[in-house]
Amino acid sequence: LSAPLTYTAAHGPRAALLLELGSGLTLICFIGMVIALGLLLLSVLRHRHRPALREGELAPRSAAGVRWVAIGTAASTVVLFAMAGWTMVTMRDLARTPSAASLTLEVTGHQWWWEVRYLDDDPARIFTTAEEIHIPTDRLVRVRLIGNDVIHSFWVPQLAGKTDIIPGQRNEAWLQADTPGTYRGQCTEYCGRQHANMAFFVIAEDPAEFEGWRARQRQPAAAPADPALARGRDLFVARCGTCHTVRGSGAGGILGPDLSHLMSRRTLAAGTLPNQPGFLAGWIADPQHFKPDNRMPRPRLTGPELEAIRTWLQTLE
Ligand SMILES: [Cu+2]
């Protein structure tokens, strides 16, 4: 929530290419506008003492005037072709598949949340999380984009351009961050009522820190430390387990985000709410209030049941 969605700063080589192109083209257009308006003003000033034309009379045509029009047309044609060429070269560079990625992720766009799977050669090391993508700095990360409901689009402006997520098609995006930081991402293809509340965060950390995070995420959820927590877990498995997975608890649903390490995330429901106890309780009590039409129905829970579930969820570091 604290990381703004900004496209005027680049923190990775692919975003840098795009930012260069975007600001370059804007600057050229601005210079073109200044020149055109300047010439217009000049001509008005120069001819301001000329007597007004009579009805039906045409302004005299001067050879110098015709020459200026020809020069202007030729110059703007050259500039426009140069701009098109620059755009195409940049697009080619972005479309080129980089040789080797140090990490491959599968990101699935759901209405209206993000599933993130960390692939690995060793199947035992694969794990799933949601809403946040951690990556090591200075490493090339391949992101396979998967859709299974409607079209979404994956955009992290400070790290890479947009790539659509299309059901039945395999698209890829590439992330690389030069500096550690939290970079906001957003779905940028209208996908239904809660499209605006479909944000995510890319958290770039130095490789050692990233490895620590990854090792913690691979672990199953901590076992309940006392009977009250165990009751919370049992209630969760019974009432929420059809949709949510918490590894090690017995809940293995796939219709909602994996909650195995819920407390390691900053926000709830794809950037909709800060991940704080009050908001967590509020979300569980009435998710439709905060994100109308989202795919989590309002559960029927008594106050104590809700408390028990929330207290247990808060142990999922
Ligand atoms: Cu969307």
Side-chain angles (χ1 to χ4, degrees):
L1 289 169
S2 53
L5 187 70
T6 168
Y7 48 83
T8 51
H11 291 278
R14 299 175 81 78
L17 271 179
L18 277 171
L19 185 62
E20 243 167 56
L21 178 71
S23 32
L25 295 184
T26 309
L27 185 68
I28 293 173
C29 292
F30 184 75
I31 294 173
M33 184 189 76
V34 169
I35 293 176
L37 291 182
L39 288 175
L40 185 68
L41 190 68
L42 200 69
S43 112
V44 168
L45 289 178
R46 269 184 63 174
H47 299 295
R48 69 189 185 282
H49 296 307
R50 189 188 270 179
L53 296 176
R54 275 189 310 274
E55 178 84 35
E57 190 192 1
L58 294 176
R61 175 184 276 204
S62 75
V66 172
R67 200 161 53 237
W68 273 108
V69 171
I71 291 173
T73 311
S76 49
T77 307
V78 170
V79 171
L80 283 175
F81 271 103
M83 288 163 80
W86 187 6
T87 306
M88 286 189 284
V89 168
T90 306
M91 283 169 66
R92 183 204 58 193
D93 291 349
L94 287 174
R96 210 177 259 158
T97 307
S99 49
S102 65
L103 178 66
T104 301
L105 311 181
E106 257 177 24
V107 170
T108 309
H110 294 276
Q111 280 175 318
W112 292 280
W113 58 281
W114 301 90
E115 178 181 338
V116 186
R117 217 164 120 81
Y118 282 74
L119 300 184
D120 203 298
D121 293 334
D122 174 2
R125 290 160 64 91
I126 295 176
F127 67 91
T128 301
T129 173
E131 324 286 26
E132 274 182 12
I133 300 174
H134 285 239
I135 61 170
T137 47
D138 293 323
R139 300 279 196 283
L140 187 61
V141 179
R142 176 208 303 261
V143 183
R144 289 196 190 136
L145 298 168
I146 298 170
N148 49 23
D149 41 42
V150 299
I151 300 177
H152 301 277
S153 190
F154 180 86
W155 189 40
V156 197
Q158 292 176 80
L159 300 182
K162 299 174 190 179
T163 312
D164 276 2
I165 302 179
I166 300 171
Q169 186 173 319
R170 282 244 163 177
N171 285 357
E172 279 183 348
W174 297 85
L175 296 175
Q176 185 172 339
D178 297 333
T179 32
T182 301
Y183 306 108
R184 193 187 172 106
Q186 172 69 37
C187 175
T188 43
E189 178 68 40
Y190 182 74
C191 57
R193 184 163 178 197
Q194 289 301 338
H195 163 65
N197 283 322
M198 192 170 161
F200 59 100
F201 295 91
V202 175
I203 294 142
E205 310 166 303
D206 68 63
E209 226 174 295
F210 167 77
E211 283 309 332
W213 174 85
R214 185 153 65 161
R216 286 191 300 280
Q217 294 287 319
R218 277 195 196 113
Q219 302 298 318
D226 62 50
L229 290 176
R231 187 177 125 74
R233 179 201 55 194
D234 295 343
L235 275 167
F236 178 87
V237 173
R239 309 296 292 278
C240 324
T242 38
C243 294
H244 292 287
T245 292
V246 171
R247 276 170 277 136
S249 76
I254 56 165
L255 296 177
D258 185 302
L259 305 179
S260 304
H261 297 283
L262 177 65
M263 287 305 124
S264 70
R265 307 206 275 262
R266 285 140 227 239
T267 65
L268 299 171
T272 307
L273 297 171
N275 189 1
Q276 292 162 4
F279 287 111
L280 180 59
W283 172 265
I284 300 170
D286 192 0
Q288 296 297 320
H289 171 76
F290 298 101
K291 201 168 172 179
D293 281 357
N294 91 80
R295 301 290 190 255
M296 175 165 160
R298 182 179 174 172
R300 284 171 207 282
L301 296 170
T302 64
E305 285 173 337
L306 195 155
E307 261 317 286
I309 292 177
R310 185 195 55 111
T311 312
W312 175 69
L313 283 176
Q314 279 185 261
T315 65
L316 304 180
E317 297 288 345

